[in-house]
Amino acid sequence: MDLKYVQTTCPYCGTGCSFNLVVKDGKVVGTAPYHRSPVNEGKVCPKGTYAHEFINSPDRLTKPLIKKDGKFVEASWEEAIKLIADKFKSYKPDECAVLSSARVSNEENYAMMKFARGVLKTRHIDHCARLCHASTVAGLANIFGSGAMTNSIPDIAQSKCVFVIGSNTFENHPLIGRQIMKAKSNGAKVVYVDPRKTPTGKQADLFLQFYSGTDVCLLNGMMQEIIKNGWEKKEFIEKRCNGFDELKKEVMKDDYSLENVSSVTGVPVDDIKTAAEWFSKSGASTILYSMGITQHTTGVDNVKSVGNIQMLTGNLGRPGTGVNALRGQNNVQGACDMGALPVVFTGYQKVIDEAAHKKFADAWKFPDGIAEGKNGYEVTVMMDVLTDKPGELKCMYIMGENPMISDPDLTHVEHALKSLEFLVVQDIFMNETGVLADVVLPSCCYAEKDGTQTSTERRVQMWRKAQDPPGEAKLDWVIISEIAKAMGYGEQFAWSSAEEIFNEMATLTPSYAGMDYERLNRPEALHWPCPTKEHPGTPILHIEKFGMPDGKGLMTAIPFKYQQERPDAEYPILLTTGRCIWHWHTGTMTRRSESLEREEPTGWIEMHPEDAKALGVKNNEMVKAISRRGEITIKARITDTIKKGVMFIPFHFVECAANMLTINALDPIAKIPESKACAIKVEKIQEA
Ligand code: SF4
């Protein structure tokens, strides 16, 4: 028997835990601890424990599929690539759109970005960061000059006050939750802000149960209390920030008196006061946030408010502090870094910047140039264009994404995708989006490839190949390169390994320029920015100055605005959505993991006992949840951990898809949808 251990990085959440894949006779059969990673020190959550179970699922795609007369038939790679190349060549550049992927490696995202801009010559490339942290990228870049988590994961344990808002960290980033518990056992206060008393809330010293969408009001109220008591850090503000007077003018308004904030948010006055005092006086306060902050029409405002309170209290650039956006998917940070966005090349170099555009055009050497230097469409806007401007977008290439579950208002998404003339989906399993495709291409999962991914803390870590792919499945970057070659661009895609792609990317990307596989191949890996081969990487950002032109952070007056759709007489319940510990994103992988699926085999709607009583609904009874966009049938779960008037649905489950109900209302800057708040009604299903 041949048995070996291959160290790799978890393919699920953005924490970036390391573990070993156990390989027996050439097949992955289990996972085992890898103790040397500073991120997780040998521990993993249930998803990491069972991260081997989907790899050899009989459902894996093993051959290209072409739809003929409405049915998929198996095809050779030659036939599939020729068909795709011929079709792609028949469209004008901006008639094509590309969705890259937060699940695949940095190298594959770079390859897809180069393919979109160099081969298809389209400006329209995006990926699912749009749905989770586009507000972080836009908001933090605007106030700090860099749109990423400021501190590292192990650094959280050094905090004296951990303020968690809009993140169920213990379920969604469990190994970051472990750092919160380390901080707590070192004496830190933990403050938790959420509409639900989640497992994270149960460990908090102070739980602020607010209404989803009232984040800015709460933070402005806390800032008023801090300023009134003189608890702000005057020296930090003076030396390192602009905009204090504007911020002060806004937050000192009567609207943000403790009483008014309490009435809007539902949080008792004394709790707001205590939170403000603990936070500003601890000496080292960190804020952890996730999609509860970002997935709103005010997502960018929420992110800037988080930045405001950290600048006001001088909690940046030191251990145990920071604005720490917890990214949801394993490589969503990397996909953004690689320029799988409609406005930037790698390393956030703007496509509208003439010098950046010339730099990439010169380096890539496409004889007929690259996509013009104008911003493209975000994925949420692509869907609107498809339905509202027929004929403008005609073809789409989707790699490792499943918008038919992940995007808001699924009826709208289905209508949009069905209006395409030609759709190519590249994935490891057939999924709800693949069903709508003209061609489906089988690709490799994380255990079948070498490459890198960048976790939420900007740590660039390795994936290492543990087994061969099933059937004829190919690496994503190989598939992209073969299509490019068939379209006449072989020279630009003549890579023979992921490492070659990484090295090309690093020469074009200042924040990755000092990295190579040799330097990354160690337990602590490297945090970007790492501009030179001698640079040690940057675990903490903004130590002496911010990334703004004058080096100063920008405090901003943020008036509070409600969400787009508030409960009313017809739809009286505020719906919020999220994840659970057992599943990940659209369930493509976790629902094919027997151990995880057994724990949570379907979705549910969480409701307060008083709401359930008013509806006449008992625990585990099926109900109808209805919004202005659609309806689902789903099991009721009654719990007093949720705020009365608010209900929660996890979004992983196709049979009761939360996104049938959610609204495609967008933040005006980040174009992120308001998945965290919409209005619904719930009806008991009457027995026949
Ligand atoms: Fe994987 Fe995230 Fe769990 Fe770590 S915390 S094992 S990265 S799912």
Side-chain angles (χ1 to χ4, degrees):
M1 182 180 69
D2 176 34
L3 190 70
K4 63 177 181 180
Y5 286 62
V6 178
Q7 186 229 327
T8 195
T9 312
C10 182
Y12 287 122
C13 87
T15 305
C17 298
S18 292
F19 51 72
N20 285 305
L21 286 171
V22 181
V23 187
K24 189 176 157 195
D25 296 330
K27 288 274 176 222
V28 173
V29 294
T31 62
Y34 173 77
H35 293 281
R36 294 172 64 203
S37 162
V39 178
N40 60 311
E41 298 170 307
K43 311 279 190 292
V44 285
C45 78
K47 285 193 278 288
T49 304
Y50 301 115
H52 60 287
E53 288 190 355
F54 72 87
I55 295 171
N56 292 308
S57 159
D59 292 349
R60 285 289 301 272
L61 289 168
T62 56
K63 279 180 84 75
L65 302 171
I66 296 177
K67 200 176 268 170
K68 293 180 180 168
D69 300 324
K71 285 199 177 125
F72 282 117
V73 292
E74 291 186 351
S76 67
W77 274 106
E78 292 70 27
E79 187 188 358
I81 297 280
K82 182 169 182 332
L83 172 66
I84 293 167
D86 289 348
K87 287 295 258 184
F88 281 173
K89 277 196 268 186
S90 73
Y91 293 108
K92 294 189 193 122
D94 280 344
E95 290 176 346
C96 299
V98 167
L99 297 187
S100 202
S101 175
R103 278 166 40 193
V104 308
S105 68
N106 286 327
E107 293 77 0
E108 288 158 334
N109 273 292
Y110 175 79
M112 190 55 125
M113 191 275 289
K114 185 174 179 180
F115 181 87
R117 298 203 160 106
V119 177
L120 297 177
K121 307 195 196 299
T122 179
R123 301 171 290 134
H124 309 313
I125 173 169
D126 204 6
H127 73 286
C128 69
R130 186 69 43 208
L131 309 173
C132 59
H133 273 284
S135 344
T136 296
V137 176
L140 295 187
N142 187 271
I143 59 172
F144 297 156
S146 171
M149 183 165 166
T150 61
N151 289 47
S152 75
I153 291 169
D155 179 89
I156 294 164
Q158 298 188 52
S159 184
K160 296 296 168 211
C161 178
V162 183
F163 188 90
V164 186
I165 182 165
S167 158
N168 179 6
T169 320
F170 282 36
E171 288 201 75
N172 296 333
H173 298 86
L175 270 294
I176 295 180
R178 181 168 173 263
Q179 301 293 341
I180 299 176
M181 292 311 288
K182 278 192 186 180
K184 190 172 157 79
S185 63
N186 291 337
K189 297 281 193 209
V190 177
V191 182
Y192 186 63
V193 189
D194 203 273
R196 302 161 62 219
K197 191 166 191 173
T198 64
T200 320
K202 287 175 188 160
Q203 295 298 331
D205 299 287
L206 181 63
F207 172 45
L208 312 185
Q209 190 166 32
F210 77 155
Y211 289 111
S212 182
T214 58
D215 311 69
V216 166
C217 186
L218 178 73
L219 292 167
N220 279 355
M222 284 175 64
M223 284 189 267
Q224 182 178 111
E225 182 68 7
I226 289 166
I227 293 171
K228 264 188 182 165
N229 286 285
W231 295 331
E232 75 274 23
K233 290 289 175 292
K234 296 179 183 65
E235 200 186 329
F236 184 91
I237 296 166
E238 197 158 307
K239 269 195 191 153
R240 300 205 46 192
C241 307
N242 292 318
F244 174 66
D245 291 342
E246 290 81 355
L247 172 70
K248 184 175 173 186
K249 198 169 154 204
E250 179 63 34
V251 302
M252 295 312 283
K253 286 180 180 167
D254 247 12
D255 297 0
Y256 309 114
S257 70
L258 288 171
E259 293 69 25
N260 285 339
V261 171
S262 177
S263 123
V264 171
T265 62
V267 177
V269 163
D270 284 347
D271 289 351
I272 305 169
K273 272 173 136 173
T274 306
E277 183 163 6
W278 285 0
F279 190 81
S280 54
K281 288 181 161 180
S282 79
S285 294
T286 183
I287 295 188
L288 311 185
Y289 75 82
S290 195
M291 294 189 287
I293 280 282
T294 58
Q295 284 181 329
H296 286 285
T297 45
T298 55
V300 171
D301 283 354
N302 293 350
V303 169
K304 285 183 175 176
S305 281
V306 168
N308 277 340
I309 196 167
Q310 285 301 57
M311 286 188 270
L312 187 72
T313 55
N315 278 307
L316 284 153
R318 291 183 289 118
T321 67
V323 171
N324 293 308
L326 308 183
R327 313 286 306 243
Q329 301 207 59
N330 57 320
N331 198 31
V332 70
Q333 181 66 54
C336 292
D337 297 348
M338 293 303 109
L341 296 169
V343 296
V344 287
F345 296 107
T346 61
Y348 307 95
Q349 299 169 83
K350 293 190 169 104
V351 294
I352 56 168
D353 180 286
E354 274 180 37
H357 190 269
K358 183 172 182 323
K359 171 178 158 179
F360 280 84
D362 289 353
W364 286 344
K365 295 189 177 66
F366 285 92
D368 44 357
I370 63 172
E372 59 180 331
K374 287 185 185 166
N375 295 338
Y377 289 146
E378 300 82 1
V379 56
T380 40
V381 176
M382 289 175 198
M383 299 301 167
D384 286 343
V385 168
L386 279 167
T387 53
D388 302 348
K389 298 180 183 172
E392 190 178 323
L393 284 177
K394 294 181 177 165
C395 119
M396 196 177 266
Y397 182 10
I398 301 179
M399 169 175 70
E401 295 244 327
N402 189 9
M404 275 301 299
I405 298 288
S406 61
D407 289 22
D409 190 358
L410 291 179
T411 310
H412 171 67
V413 176
E414 184 175 10
H415 181 194
L417 294 178
K418 280 186 171 168
S419 72
L420 285 162
E421 285 180 10
F422 188 62
L423 172 62
V424 178
V425 167
Q426 184 169 306
D427 217 302
I428 60 173
F429 292 111
M430 178 59 83
N431 60 29
E432 293 72 18
T433 306
V435 169
L436 303 178
D438 297 284
V439 185
V440 175
L441 302 174
S443 61
C444 297
C445 78
Y446 78 109
E448 293 146 7
K449 59 177 81 164
D450 293 321
T452 61
Q453 65 168 38
T454 306
S455 64
T456 185
E457 53 169 347
R458 300 170 284 103
R459 195 189 296 264
V460 184
Q461 303 186 101
M462 305 289 298
W463 274 340
R464 296 175 182 85
K465 182 177 173 180
Q467 70 163 45
D468 288 331
E472 297 177 19
K474 293 190 183 197
L475 295 163
D476 287 287
W477 68 263
V478 170
I479 302 171
I480 294 165
S481 302
E482 288 184 3
I483 300 171
K485 281 170 200 159
M487 293 177 72
Y489 299 100
E491 206 183 301
Q492 287 75 16
F493 289 80
W495 303 305
S496 58
S497 67
E499 187 171 7
E500 276 183 28
I501 303 175
F502 188 93
N503 291 341
E504 176 182 315
M505 176 278 296
T507 61
L508 290 164
T509 313
S511 52
Y512 281 68
M515 298 183 189
D516 55 42
Y517 275 23
E518 196 183 330
R519 293 195 74 198
L520 295 176
N521 197 12
R522 53 185 185 164
E524 64 277 24
L526 284 165
H527 297 262
W528 66 254
C530 177
T532 65
K533 294 283 185 210
E534 295 72 40
H535 195 283
T538 312
I540 301 180
L541 294 176
H542 317 311
I543 289 179
E544 280 167 5
K545 57 179 181 147
F546 293 96
M548 304 290 277
D550 65 357
K552 290 191 170 187
L554 179 62
M555 293 173 141
T556 321
I558 307 284
F560 167 64
K561 294 186 218 103
Y562 278 104
Q563 74 266 21
Q564 167 105 358
E565 188 182 61
R566 295 178 66 191
D568 56 18
E570 199 183 350
Y571 294 92
I573 304 289
L574 179 61
L575 174 72
T576 191
T577 65
R579 305 177 191 218
C580 70
I581 192 166
W582 305 105
H583 288 288
W584 187 66
H585 211 52
T586 70
T588 315
M589 300 191 295
T590 50
R591 298 201 74 189
R592 289 185 171 89
S593 167
E594 208 186 316
S595 307
L596 298 172
E597 181 70 353
R598 195 186 313 124
E599 292 293 338
E600 207 67 270
T602 191
W604 67 91
I605 183 164
E606 219 165 276
M607 60 180 73
H608 189 275
E610 285 183 39
D611 290 327
K613 194 172 166 201
L615 291 164
V617 170
K618 295 196 185 71
N619 202 33
N620 288 330
E621 262 186 355
M622 298 302 284
V623 297
K624 255 189 198 174
I626 305 161
S627 77
R628 289 184 175 87
R629 293 152 293 281
E631 65 176 64
I632 55 173
T633 302
I634 189 166
K635 190 167 64 174
R637 189 175 282 182
I638 300 170
T639 170
D640 61 5
T641 56
I642 194 160
K643 201 166 178 69
K644 184 170 171 292
V646 181
M647 295 192 189
F648 166 85
I649 302 177
F651 65 83
H652 317 286
F653 303 96
V654 63
E655 65 276 18
C656 46
N659 281 325
M660 287 298 294
L661 309 175
T662 50
I663 186 167
N664 190 29
L666 305 180
D667 178 284
I669 296 165
K671 309 288 186 202
I672 192 170
E674 192 150 55
S675 307
K676 280 287 183 277
C678 72
I680 62 164
K681 60 183 171 187
V682 173
E683 292 173 358
K684 179 182 166 80
I685 295 178
Q686 303 296 341
E687 280 169 28

